Amino acid sequence: MSGLLGTWTTGMPFIVGDTKKYHDEKGHTVKGTYSLTVDLTNLESNLGKDLYNDGTHRIYVTHIRTSDHDGVYEIIFRSSGTYSQSGASLISGIHHAGINGNTFTSEMSAKMSTEIDGKTYENYPLSTSGINFSDGDEFGFYTGPTDVQETDGNIPGEVESMKITVSILYQNLWSKK
């Protein structure tokens, strides 16, 4: 598939996969922390909420559900960026790194914490994806405490909202060699 046809039909995955023509040497960590409040009384109302949006890059909630553990939720974010024949840019919780000029790997860069009733809990990664969409990827976390004992008897499922804070986003930049 040629460059124009490949970019037009496949998008970002075509650019990322063409390690002979594109490189990712200028990617970098995005400074800052980014937060949103999650409504636990109506999980569907959180779908589409922005965690990050600079007008070009966007990270937003696509899935949220209760997990098998009391007070723990699973949240998935979708990252979208831009692409053209000259390259691509994606701000995500995942660093998509080139390996030896002929393939790439995906590694979670983001860290997430949840604040519930004034207490902060560090969260564990749930999932990462490759560049599975024409303009980006997905990544997810488990939210809340990992042990009910950490809650001092207040199971987070009994509260109405929680604040999620994400740091160490990564700007993946691919450009022509």
Side-chain angles (χ1 to χ4, degrees), residues 1-10 14 18 21:
M1 196 176 321
S2 73
L4 180 59
L5 180 61
T7 304
W8 182 67
T9 59
T10 310
F14 178 79
D18 191 349
K21 290 184 184 174

Side-chain angles (χ1 to χ4, degrees), residues 1-3 6-7 10-24 83-85 87-88 90 96-106 130-134 136 172-175 177:
M1 196 176 321
S2 73
T7 304
T10 310
M12 197 176 289
F14 178 79
I15 292 166
V16 174
D18 191 349
T19 57
K20 292 189 183 350
K21 290 184 184 174
Y22 298 92
H23 64 86
D24 63 343
Y83 61 90
S84 69
Q85 273 196 284
L90 177 67
H96 300 282
I99 302 173
N100 299 327
N102 58 13
T103 189
F104 75 95
T105 185
S106 300
I131 308 291
N132 293 346
F133 300 92
S134 65
N172 297 276
L173 291 167
W174 296 275
S175 57
K177 290 183 177 179

